[in-house]
Amino acid sequence: MKAIAEAPSKAIITGEHFVVHGAWALAAALPRRVRAEASPSEELTIVSDRFPGGDSRALAPVASVVRAVAKELSSTPRVRVLVTSDIPEGSGLGSSASTMVAVAAAVARLKGAELGPQGISDFAMAGEREVHGRPSGVDAAVCSRGGVLLFRPGIPPRAVALQGRRALVVAFTGTRRSTRRQITRVAGVKEAFPGMFRGLAEAASEASLAAAERLAEGDMKGLGRILSFNHAVLSAVGASSPSLDRLVDLALSLGAYGAKLTGAGGGGSVIAVAPRGKEKSIVSGLRERGFEAFRAEIPVVGVRSWLEK
Ligand code: MEV
């Protein structure tokens, strides 16, 4: 008997970094997924396609999630977990949160418990804190719930209902980066310039509320303007990089309404929105210039788990 769980990846549409300091963020689950298979074993073993040799330091946070779930369910953590993923790691698309969420859901299912999305993201946070230091929780929340969420730390996330399906363009700079380092860098800007930072955090928070409305209505032109605005705010606190700025400019020159870095920045990915039907030609243009890019339709369901013989 084994339990399987699949969790989506994510894009932060607006408000990353500032959400760590209390602002609203808007996030969407994306179609790429992590799959976790949990089965009973003699000892706790984590196997990942990312670390074929079994990098024990990299996999320790995943083991923490298994232990936390087993402890909560008064059960043993003697489980073998196999993790496979099609999310580029360090790309800003939620590889870590999606892994923790899928593992929490698979282990709970193996133990006969069906945790709701809040329970799953709470357990995923045990691993997320080890990886990132001081995450806001937005990544785990959206990877477990799916859909589109307005998220602010300390209050329940708000699901944003879309009137129809929407498309985002996602492109990877090819440069991986550490979320932990980026969070520390932005926190340093807050410490150096608290008043200026407060103003920017308010702007990012407003951007998230406005972006949720535009996205729900399907006003992609308005959403695009907000994305570009938010990219400038993120650049002001040092979250961007020359390669991200170039990729944003490239998406705009190919006809996007607006574009920004997504996630921790410093490398990783950008998202762009475009006139309906234009996304495919933007993706082709980005690929022709050597970038990994794809069109992502939202909304996407959250984590799912099931048992198999
Ligand atoms: C990373 O996807 C988003 C950040 O805001 C960190 C966090 O919220 O935990 C950079």
Side-chain angles (χ1 to χ4, degrees):
M1 175 74 75
K2 61 185 175 186
I4 320 279
E6 282 185 359
S9 49
K10 62 85 197 165
I12 307 285
I13 299 175
T14 48
E16 55 272 90
H17 283 295
F18 298 101
V19 66
V20 174
H21 306 278
W24 283 107
L26 182 68
L30 296 187
R32 292 192 175 202
R33 309 203 137 241
V34 167
R35 177 184 165 97
E37 274 186 34
S39 49
S41 172
E42 296 285 298
E43 55 183 19
L44 171 50
T45 313
I46 315 284
V47 181
S48 162
D49 61 348
R50 285 288 147 72
F51 306 103
D55 178 337
S56 53
R57 236 183 65 187
L59 296 175
V62 182
S64 297
V65 173
V66 177
R67 284 195 201 91
V69 174
K71 188 170 174 212
E72 172 70 15
L73 300 174
S74 308
S75 182
T76 161
R78 289 197 296 273
V79 174
R80 179 180 188 274
V81 180
L82 170 64
V83 180
T84 49
S85 167
D86 62 1
I87 309 171
E89 204 201 331
S91 62
L93 301 178
S95 162
S96 151
S98 184
T99 299
M100 305 304 171
V101 163
V103 168
V107 174
R109 172 68 72 172
L110 183 70
K111 304 285 181 189
E114 201 179 333
L115 304 172
Q118 185 63 49
I120 290 173
S121 70
D122 286 349
F123 286 116
M125 287 300 284
E128 283 285 89
R129 274 189 284 270
E130 279 182 40
V131 179
H132 302 312
R134 199 195 144 193
S136 65
V138 61
D139 294 5
V142 75
C143 290
S144 58
R145 284 166 206 266
V148 177
L149 288 187
L150 265 172
F151 179 95
R152 184 173 213 172
I155 59 173
R158 286 191 203 159
V160 177
L162 306 188
Q163 294 153 28
R165 293 188 69 70
R166 313 271 179 254
L168 301 175
V169 172
V170 183
F172 182 34
T173 56
T175 314
R176 297 172 202 285
R177 53 84 197 112
S178 146
T179 297
R180 178 188 280 266
R181 204 170 308 146
Q182 285 292 104
I183 290 179
T184 306
R185 168 192 270 236
V186 172
V189 175
K190 181 183 181 187
E191 207 178 302
F193 305 109
M196 276 149 52
F197 189 90
R198 203 176 314 120
L200 295 173
E202 257 171 49
S205 206
E206 282 298 316
S208 297
L209 296 172
E213 275 177 25
R214 300 298 164 100
L215 180 63
E217 289 162 3
D219 173 6
M220 300 311 261
K221 193 170 187 177
L223 178 62
R225 291 177 70 185
I226 297 170
L227 295 194
S228 293
F229 169 85
N230 195 186
H231 184 73
V233 175
L234 285 161
S235 299
V237 293
S240 193
S241 70
S243 62
L244 281 165
D245 291 343
R246 273 198 298 275
L247 198 46
V248 163
D249 288 346
L250 183 55
L252 296 176
S253 73
L254 290 167
Y257 280 139
K260 66 179 274 292
L261 72 86
T262 184
S269 300
V270 307
I271 53 165
V273 293
R276 189 187 279 269
K278 178 104 189 137
E279 300 93 356
K280 281 199 176 130
S281 68
I282 295 179
V283 166
S284 309
L286 291 165
R287 286 185 181 159
E288 274 162 24
R289 287 159 183 84
F291 293 101
E292 188 180 340
F294 60 96
R295 176 182 178 276
E297 271 201 22
I298 56 171
V300 163
V301 293
V303 64
R304 293 175 306 128
S305 65
W306 62 94
L307 287 172
E308 270 179 18
K309 282 261 154 54

